[in-house]
Amino acid sequence: MITRMSRLFLRTLREVPADADVASHQLLVRAGYVRRAAPGIYSWLPLGYLVLRRIETIVREEMDAMGSQEVHFPALLPREPYEASGRWTEYGENLFRLKDRKNADYLLGPTHEEMFTLLVKDVVSSYKGLPLALYQIQTKYRDEARPRAGILRGREFVMKDSYSFDVDDDGLRRSYQAHRDAYIRIFDRLGFRYVIVAAQSGAMGGSASEEFLADSPIGEDTYVRSPGGYAANVEAVTTPVPPAVDASGTPAAHVEDTPDTPTIDTLVAVANDRFPRADRPWTGADTLKNVLVVLRHPDGRREPVAVGLPGDREVDTKRLEAAVSPAEVEAFTEDDFARNPALVKGYIGPGSLGLGRASGIRYLLDPRVVPGTAWITGADAPGRHVFDLVAGRDFTADGTVEAAEVREGDPAPDGSGPLSLARGIEMGHIFQLGRKYAEALDLKVLDAEGKLVTVTMGSYGIGVSRAVAAIAEYSHDDRGLIWPREVAPFDVHLVVAGKAPEIAAAAEDLAAALGVAGLRVLLDDRPASPGVKFADAELLGMPTIVVVGRGVADGVVEIRDRATGERVDVSLAEAASSVVAATRGLPVPAAQDAAEV
Amino acid sequence: MITRMSRLFLRTLREVPADADVASHQLLVRAGYVRRAAPGIYSWLPLGYLVLRRIETIVREEMDAMGSQEVHFPALLPREPYEASGRWTEYGENLFRLKDRKNADYLLGPTHEEMFTLLVKDVVSSYKGLPLALYQIQTKYRDEARPRAGILRGREFVMKDSYSFDVDDDGLRRSYQAHRDAYIRIFDRLGFRYVIVAAQSGAMGGSASEEFLADSPIGEDTYVRSPGGYAANVEAVTTPVPPAVDASGTPAAHVEDTPDTPTIDTLVAVANDRFPRADRPWTGADTLKNVLVVLRHPDGRREPVAVGLPGDREVDTKRLEAAVSPAEVEAFTEDDFARNPALVKGYIGPGSLGLGRASGIRYLLDPRVVPGTAWITGADAPGRHVFDLVAGRDFTADGTVEAAEVREGDPAPDGSGPLSLARGIEMGHIFQLGRKYAEALDLKVLDAEGKLVTVTMGSYGIGVSRAVAAIAEYSHDDRGLIWPREVAPFDVHLVVAGKAPEIAAAAEDLAAALGVAGLRVLLDDRPASPGVKFADAELLGMPTIVVVGRGVADGVVEIRDRATGERVDVSLAEAASSVVAATRGLPVPAAQDAAEV
């Protein structure tokens, strides 16, 4: 197949688009792969759509190969199933909602657990129809508060979502593993550098949820790894809980004047200055910091909450949000302080927090605050702190929460060593759902004994349009995109470099021969200068660039590898087979070698 | 490729779904191809999605072959471009509108003229970038007042929409013709029985718009044909205008008492009884009937309008709506009568209608009411009619309108003979848009002389998901679906008819051989009875059914042609090549012939 650039619907841009801050976004717009239609909503131009469809094909092949069956649901969905599952409300503002002409409520599907559950309920009535795996490649909608990085986090995007249906937990584990294996094959074929991380600790032993993260400094997900092989999204990291401490030797709590110590640093300084400890100085880790936030529940209710954690750590909002999901975290405002006069800003302590206390605000503790540990913390009076306040003896809370930041060097929860941190782009997510949706929508089948049992489900997603951006993000240089062969829109970018008729004729002949050989050829037959053409070729990023130019007079054309930058002159007579070899990663004999043969 | 029915996500239904009134809808649901998710919104099950994708592939191949380039727009679109073109309002209730979390207005795209125009404006600046043809295969949304017949007229559906861009009218005509030719190839490949009809009379000479209608009695479109080759959608038929009549011999208009004649029939009877005409009796065609309707304009405004037409014809609401589009036609109610006291129900005449008359209601005449024609019509008084009222002499109107029904035997507008009527399903529509959108959105390019000129556009659509239903509609029998080979989900439906191990083994071997030969095989390996399997095979509708049953003992299997019902026993040893031949429409040697060879 030969596509002529003179006819291609394409305009490349030299300047960086004003709204693009990451490389993939800049390059995909500059190279004419996508164009913004509205915030977080993009149109696919011919080159971009070719990449998208190649990725779809890889995903489809691997899903079919694992025995999953392709279906296709509407994107415009009725409210009722999402009401039954609770997600009509839980999704909050992330859901696009609309009404039809009869005033009935609809939504644009963000993901389709409910619809799949109902369809399987309609079709399968016996364990004999299970296990079952279904998938679709479909346009999804989420009204993201902060769409970013072009198609990396859009509001309309293409996802492959799959669902598995099993009669028992063993079956679910097998289905999960089969999807995990298929995902590994897919991401390997896409050429990703990725890591599989735990996304949530297992409720059934083992990991109930994992993410496939493409390694990338611009990724929105932070993950951790240990030398012993532990890997998890930072939101899924659990804090190793230290053993309880014997507090029998700890003196009674005593309140001290600590004027002008509204921060941990000022408090530690005053403590070391005025109340020094014999064996070692006080540090932030000896203080208990109480951070106030507001949870915005899906029904719109605002609930103030206090998080108590060692003073040397900050609250990680994403970890807190993961812990309190589906609630979202908002700031505790001056108005909130005004509504809670028992709170003394800068000196808030357990004395005012939790059930039965002055503020009544729900109080959640970091898991490190185990019974018996003694703390310096606010005394709920201006300029005063309490020392030797012992957890369990002097105060209690309403529960624990995983909200403290995870730091480089923290211990892995499984004892496999210190954690290191990195960032990634979430490309896939596999999840043992269990029976949540089947129960909400009453999906039961007869088991082998003739008993009705609730089906257990898995849910598995891949960001297909996101993959285009993620590949561009990890595979580019300062001159442009560098597509892996499996997803490139064309195999060969053939540049006609010169106006001489014999150059054009040689290029046309070579293009025709490559087309016959089954290669997809982009032929730059425009009347532009070689410089413009080379710049565009590097920007567009086909893996193999062939230059047919002045060398034709000497029977030579040049093959460039876009990724490595290697260039080799090959004999014009052998050019077609040399280019085919290059596109297969085989050695390409240089012209002089060819001549020697 | 072999798919086992024991694993296929499928449940066939014996009973007809309650909400399905046309055969394609009934069969596609019964055979497990689609399932209703909401009114006018359907989910595609594995078999249905295979058909949909095969049709997409045919459309894509032909669009690519004609040089159109595939792009993909969002379905969720910002309001502004549709505001600029006027369609945000014009679409009225047919448009799904919604707001995002920032309260910005969006719509679900019903068609994409505006977005394509803007994209081309962004990419092309010179005539050198034209002509240009772009297309997409995409999910579209229309909030139909009356979704019907399953996927035949849904609210979410898949369309191929294309747009052409040219610098001048000649270019547009060439682009239009190229699309017309591609559509003929597509519909020929789909195996349709279709007709190409004029959809709108040409503004530039010749036809500016044509529809591809699949011949079908359940079609929503009525079209006409003449022996001389004229073909048009009934909405596009223009009435041949008779020459003006010399009214100098017509007596002055005279009002007569005609009590109890509120209908045309009663009026004609009274006229013949009490005011007989010498040469021939009065007929309904001598009367002028004035029909009141209300136009609902896109901005919500209700405008009463009167249509005057010969009394022997009814108003065809679809023709009237086409004539007054984008307004919709509503009933003239008792309240409307109450608001217009000058109107005497049953005796309304030109005396009360039109500019400066008593009601002031806009008055539009059938084109047959030419100057000089004399009519019996209402005298705007109870029980009274006026005779010899001459158009142009005694009354005028505000214009003409094509609203009267077209009847079998009416003359074709081009003089090519009497019209016959039939019904069809609109499968494609090609349209010379001209400069409407380019002007609204300022799409200009530099021409060869360096002058800025407005681009002229064409718009071309194919109902891709509708095609699944239309094919099912014309190709089925009372036992089930009958898929043409080009779109069938599988080439061969292989029925294992019997429990004997040698039958299963023979079937497995044959399926494997067919798979190797490149056929897509649906293998019915379920433990069901042969009767159930045969019924399902006929319901599902694969073009070739192969039965491996008791004949295996005699070295024989049966090949059935689903469309013709022909059955032939072939030798088991030669079964694979016989089945391959059958799927290619080649002659299949029967077992005894084979034995003789």
Side-chain angles (χ1 to χ4, degrees):
Chain A
M1 189 200 67
I2 300 165
T3 296
R4 291 171 188 277
M5 271 184 85
S6 59
R7 305 309 312 154
L8 183 63
F9 183 59
L10 173 71
R11 183 165 70 97
T12 57
L13 308 174
R14 295 288 162 253
E15 65 280 14
V16 173
D19 63 336
D21 51 1
V22 307
S24 59
H25 186 189
Q26 294 169 356
L27 291 172
L28 288 170
V29 172
R30 283 186 51 210
Y33 281 65
V34 300
R35 277 285 185 285
R36 181 179 176 280
I41 301 176
Y42 284 79
S43 301
W44 296 86
L45 276 63
L47 294 176
Y49 200 57
L50 285 171
V51 177
L52 183 69
R53 294 196 59 230
R54 293 202 75 191
I55 295 174
E56 284 184 13
T57 298
I58 291 170
V59 171
R60 184 171 279 128
E61 285 172 359
E62 295 298 338
M63 295 313 295
D64 288 345
M66 69 157 282
S68 189
Q69 300 180 54
E70 186 169 12
V71 297
H72 202 80
F73 279 85
L76 180 62
L77 300 173
R79 169 177 177 161
E80 292 71 22
Y82 287 76
E83 188 74 51
S85 71
R87 296 210 292 183
W88 175 263
T89 308
E90 273 175 23
Y91 262 109
E93 287 196 308
N94 289 306
L95 199 62
F96 283 106
R97 296 178 183 82
L98 68 159
K99 286 179 183 290
D100 74 358
R101 67 199 286 151
K102 292 182 171 158
N103 217 35
D105 280 316
Y106 285 82
L107 60 104
L108 299 183
T111 168
H112 279 68
E113 279 80 359
E114 289 85 349
M115 300 303 295
F116 274 83
T117 306
L118 286 174
L119 183 64
V120 171
K121 181 178 170 179
D122 182 22
V123 172
V124 178
S125 54
S126 151
Y127 74 100
K128 291 176 192 163
L130 305 182
L132 174 67
L134 300 173
Y135 77 98
Q136 63 175 346
I137 298 176
Q138 209 239 12
T139 304
K140 301 259 189 267
Y141 297 86
R142 286 186 203 165
D143 197 359
E144 298 277 355
R146 289 170 294 277
R148 78 178 269 268
I151 53 173
L152 203 59
R153 181 178 285 278
R155 300 197 293 166
E156 172 174 324
F157 52 96
V158 180
M159 238 182 93
K160 188 285 299 175
D161 49 330
S162 310
Y163 306 87
S164 67
F165 301 85
D166 281 279
V167 75
D168 58 25
D169 294 348
D170 275 349
L172 171 55
R173 274 189 285 267
R174 279 191 298 271
S175 292
Y176 181 90
Q177 187 62 41
H179 281 86
R180 192 178 194 275
D181 293 344
Y183 275 38
I184 290 171
R185 287 191 296 273
I186 289 168
F187 291 116
D188 284 350
R189 283 182 65 182
L190 293 178
F192 271 114
R193 196 170 58 230
Y194 65 93
V195 55
I196 305 173
V197 304
Q200 191 180 307
S201 64
M204 306 186 293
S207 182
S209 174
E210 289 168 294
E211 289 172 351
F212 289 71
L213 299 180
D215 217 10
S216 169
I218 65 125
E220 294 192 321
D221 287 69
T222 305
Y223 68 93
V224 300
R225 274 194 280 208
S226 77
Y230 176 81
N233 190 305
V234 77
E235 293 159 40
V237 173
T238 50
T239 307
V241 179
V245 174
D246 176 9
S248 56
T250 309
H254 44 106
V255 174
E256 305 290 351
D257 278 325
T258 54
D260 302 325
T261 54
T263 66
I264 297 299
D265 284 349
T266 52
L267 173 61
V268 168
V270 165
N272 280 322
D273 184 34
R274 302 203 16 238
F275 312 98
R277 185 159 64 169
D279 50 347
R280 59 207 156 92
W282 298 110
T283 71
D286 298 309
T287 68
L288 178 65
K289 175 161 70 176
N290 296 297
V291 177
L292 291 160
V293 296
V294 171
L295 304 191
R296 165 79 71 177
H297 292 281
D299 59 8
R301 190 166 47 92
R302 294 179 83 249
E303 182 202 5
V305 162
V307 176
L309 73 170
D312 61 336
R313 292 195 184 247
E314 300 301 326
V315 167
D316 177 332
T317 307
K318 289 183 77 174
R319 272 170 57 74
L320 175 56
E321 276 199 327
V324 300
S325 171
E328 293 181 357
V329 175
E330 297 183 353
F332 193 89
T333 65
E334 290 299 328
D335 282 353
D336 291 313
F337 272 109
R339 273 191 288 272
N340 289 281
L343 301 177
V344 181
K345 210 170 160 181
Y347 300 90
I348 299 163
S352 65
L353 301 170
L355 192 67
R357 304 289 182 140
S359 74
I361 289 176
R362 188 148 68 104
Y363 188 33
L364 301 172
L365 288 175
D366 184 81
R368 293 170 191 83
V369 188
V370 291
T373 51
W375 302 92
I376 307 174
T377 188
D380 298 300
R384 290 169 71 80
H385 280 90
V386 57
F387 286 62
D388 290 320
L389 194 76
V390 173
R393 182 188 77 180
D394 301 328
F395 71 100
T396 56
D398 300 305
T400 61
V401 67
E402 288 286 359
E405 60 181 327
V406 175
R407 288 198 301 228
E408 193 84 20
D410 278 350
D414 64 353
S416 60
L419 298 176
S420 57
L421 273 72
R423 298 183 74 81
I425 300 167
E426 184 187 340
M427 292 310 311
H429 193 166
I430 55 178
F431 192 48
Q432 296 186 16
L433 280 180
R435 297 183 176 80
K436 173 181 170 178
Y437 293 94
E439 272 163 8
L441 297 161
D442 197 32
L443 169 58
K444 291 191 169 79
V445 296
L446 292 171
D447 70 7
E449 282 80 45
K451 263 202 340 274
L452 270 179
V453 295
T454 301
V455 170
T456 181
M457 292 168 55
S459 158
Y460 316 91
I462 288 179
V464 176
S465 48
R466 174 178 288 180
V468 178
I471 294 170
E473 191 61 42
Y474 84 80
S475 188
H476 71 266
D477 60 21
D478 54 1
R479 297 187 304 279
L481 299 160
I482 305 172
W483 293 109
R485 293 195 185 281
E486 276 255 28
V487 302
F490 292 92
D491 301 303
V492 174
H493 189 132
L494 201 165
V495 176
V496 186
K499 292 193 199 305
E502 62 271 23
I503 291 176
E508 292 283 347
D509 287 350
L510 179 54
L514 296 175
V516 169
L519 294 184
R520 297 159 308 137
V521 181
L522 181 60
L523 175 63
D524 193 348
D525 59 342
R526 297 175 300 169
S529 74
V532 165
K533 292 184 176 186
F534 294 152
D536 276 345
E538 300 205 299
L539 178 59
L540 297 187
M542 305 316 142
T544 298
I545 299 170
V546 177
V547 182
V548 179
R550 279 177 303 183
V552 164
D554 306 318
V556 167
V557 303
E558 184 187 83
I559 301 177
R560 299 182 183 178
D561 185 290
R562 175 67 184 90
T564 64
E566 278 172 54
R567 302 174 180 207
V568 55
D569 282 340
V570 302
S571 129
L572 178 57
E574 303 289 324
S577 57
S578 298
V579 173
V580 169
T583 61
R584 294 188 184 150
L586 301 173
V588 176
Q592 60 273 31
D593 303 338
E596 282 162 17
V597 173
Chain B
M1 188 198 69
I2 299 165
T3 297
R4 291 170 188 277
M5 270 183 84
S6 60
R7 304 309 313 153
L8 183 64
F9 182 60
L10 172 73
R11 183 165 70 97
T12 56
L13 308 174
R14 295 286 162 254
E15 65 279 14
V16 174
D19 64 336
D21 51 2
V22 306
S24 59
H25 186 189
Q26 294 170 356
L27 290 172
L28 288 169
V29 171
R30 284 186 51 210
Y33 281 64
V34 300
R35 277 286 187 282
R36 182 178 175 281
I41 301 175
Y42 284 78
S43 302
W44 296 86
L45 276 63
L47 294 177
Y49 200 57
L50 285 172
V51 177
L52 183 69
R53 294 196 59 231
R54 293 203 74 193
I55 295 175
E56 283 184 15
T57 299
I58 290 171
V59 171
R60 184 171 279 127
E61 285 172 359
E62 295 297 340
M63 296 312 297
D64 289 345
M66 69 157 282
S68 190
Q69 300 180 54
E70 187 169 11
V71 297
H72 202 80
F73 279 85
L76 181 63
L77 300 173
R79 168 178 177 159
E80 293 71 22
Y82 287 76
E83 188 74 49
S85 71
R87 296 210 293 182
W88 174 262
T89 308
E90 273 175 23
Y91 262 111
E93 287 196 307
N94 290 306
L95 199 63
F96 283 107
R97 297 179 182 80
L98 67 160
K99 286 179 183 291
D100 74 358
R101 62 158 74 214
K102 292 181 172 162
N103 217 35
D105 281 316
Y106 285 82
L107 59 104
L108 300 183
T111 168
H112 279 69
E113 279 79 359
E114 289 84 349
M115 301 304 293
F116 274 83
T117 306
L118 287 174
L119 183 64
V120 172
K121 181 177 170 178
D122 183 21
V123 171
V124 178
S125 54
S126 152
Y127 74 99
K128 292 176 194 163
L130 304 183
L132 174 66
L134 301 174
Y135 78 98
Q136 64 176 349
I137 297 175
Q138 208 238 14
T139 304
K140 303 261 188 265
Y141 297 86
R142 287 188 203 163
D143 197 358
E144 297 277 355
R146 289 169 295 277
R148 75 179 272 268
I151 53 173
L152 203 58
R153 180 178 287 278
R155 299 197 294 168
E156 173 174 323
F157 52 96
V158 179
M159 238 182 93
K160 187 285 300 174
D161 49 329
S162 310
Y163 305 87
S164 67
F165 301 85
D166 281 279
V167 77
D168 57 26
D169 294 347
D170 275 348
L172 171 55
R173 273 189 284 268
R174 279 191 298 272
S175 292
Y176 181 89
Q177 188 62 41
H179 281 85
R180 193 178 194 274
D181 293 345
Y183 275 36
I184 289 172
R185 288 191 295 274
I186 290 168
F187 291 116
D188 283 350
R189 283 182 67 183
L190 293 178
F192 270 114
R193 196 169 59 229
Y194 64 93
V195 55
I196 305 174
V197 303
Q200 190 180 307
S201 65
M204 305 186 294
S207 183
S209 174
E210 290 167 295
E211 289 171 354
F212 289 70
L213 299 180
D215 217 11
S216 169
I218 65 123
E220 294 193 322
D221 287 68
T222 304
Y223 67 93
V224 299
R225 273 194 280 207
S226 77
Y230 175 81
N233 191 305
V234 78
E235 292 159 40
V237 173
T238 51
T239 306
V241 179
V245 174
D246 175 9
S248 55
T250 309
H254 45 106
V255 173
E256 305 290 350
D257 277 326
T258 53
D260 301 326
T261 55
T263 67
I264 296 298
D265 285 348
T266 51
L267 173 61
V268 168
V270 166
N272 280 321
D273 184 34
R274 299 199 24 233
F275 312 100
R277 186 159 63 169
D279 51 346
R280 58 205 157 90
W282 299 110
T283 71
D286 298 309
T287 67
L288 179 65
K289 175 162 69 178
N290 296 296
V291 176
L292 291 160
V293 297
V294 171
L295 304 191
R296 165 80 70 177
H297 292 281
D299 59 7
R301 189 166 49 91
R302 294 178 84 249
E303 182 202 3
V305 162
V307 176
L309 73 168
D312 61 337
R313 294 195 183 247
E314 300 302 326
V315 168
D316 178 333
T317 307
K318 289 183 77 176
R319 272 171 56 75
L320 175 56
E321 276 199 326
V324 299
S325 170
E328 292 181 358
V329 175
E330 296 184 353
F332 193 89
T333 64
E334 290 299 327
D335 283 353
D336 291 312
F337 272 109
R339 272 191 288 273
N340 288 281
L343 300 177
V344 181
K345 209 170 160 181
Y347 300 90
I348 300 163
S352 65
L353 301 169
L355 192 66
R357 304 291 181 138
S359 74
I361 289 176
R362 188 149 67 104
Y363 188 33
L364 302 172
L365 288 176
D366 184 81
R368 293 172 190 84
V369 188
V370 291
T373 51
W375 302 91
I376 307 175
T377 188
D380 298 301
R384 290 168 72 79
H385 279 90
V386 55
F387 286 62
D388 291 320
L389 194 76
V390 173
R393 182 188 77 179
D394 302 327
F395 71 98
T396 57
D398 300 305
T400 60
V401 67
E402 289 286 359
E405 59 180 328
V406 175
R407 289 198 300 226
E408 194 84 20
D410 279 349
D414 64 355
S416 61
L419 297 176
S420 57
L421 273 73
R423 297 183 76 82
I425 300 168
E426 184 186 342
M427 292 310 312
H429 194 166
I430 55 178
F431 192 48
Q432 296 187 16
L433 280 180
R435 298 183 175 79
K436 172 181 170 178
Y437 293 93
E439 270 163 9
L441 297 161
D442 197 31
L443 169 58
K444 291 191 169 80
V445 296
L446 290 172
D447 70 7
E449 282 79 46
K451 264 203 339 275
L452 270 179
V453 295
T454 302
V455 169
T456 182
M457 293 168 55
S459 158
Y460 316 91
I462 289 179
V464 176
S465 48
R466 173 178 289 180
V468 178
I471 295 171
E473 191 61 42
Y474 85 80
S475 189
H476 71 266
D477 60 21
D478 55 0
R479 298 186 306 278
L481 299 160
I482 304 172
W483 293 109
R485 293 195 185 282
E486 276 255 28
V487 302
F490 292 92
D491 300 304
V492 175
H493 191 133
L494 202 166
V495 176
V496 186
K499 293 192 199 303
E502 61 271 23
I503 290 176
E508 293 283 347
D509 287 351
L510 179 53
L514 296 175
V516 169
L519 295 183
R520 298 160 307 138
V521 180
L522 181 60
L523 175 64
D524 193 348
D525 60 341
R526 297 174 299 170
S529 74
V532 164
K533 291 185 177 186
F534 294 151
D536 277 345
E538 299 206 299
L539 178 59
L540 298 187
M542 304 318 142
T544 299
I545 300 170
V546 177
V547 182
V548 179
R550 279 178 303 183
V552 165
D554 307 318
V556 166
V557 303
E558 183 186 80
I559 301 178
R560 298 182 184 178
D561 185 291
R562 176 66 184 92
T564 64
E566 279 172 52
R567 301 173 180 208
V568 55
D569 281 342
V570 301
S571 129
L572 177 57
E574 303 290 325
S577 57
S578 298
V579 172
V580 169
T583 61
R584 294 190 183 148
L586 301 173
V588 176
Q592 59 273 33
D593 303 337
E596 283 162 15
V597 173

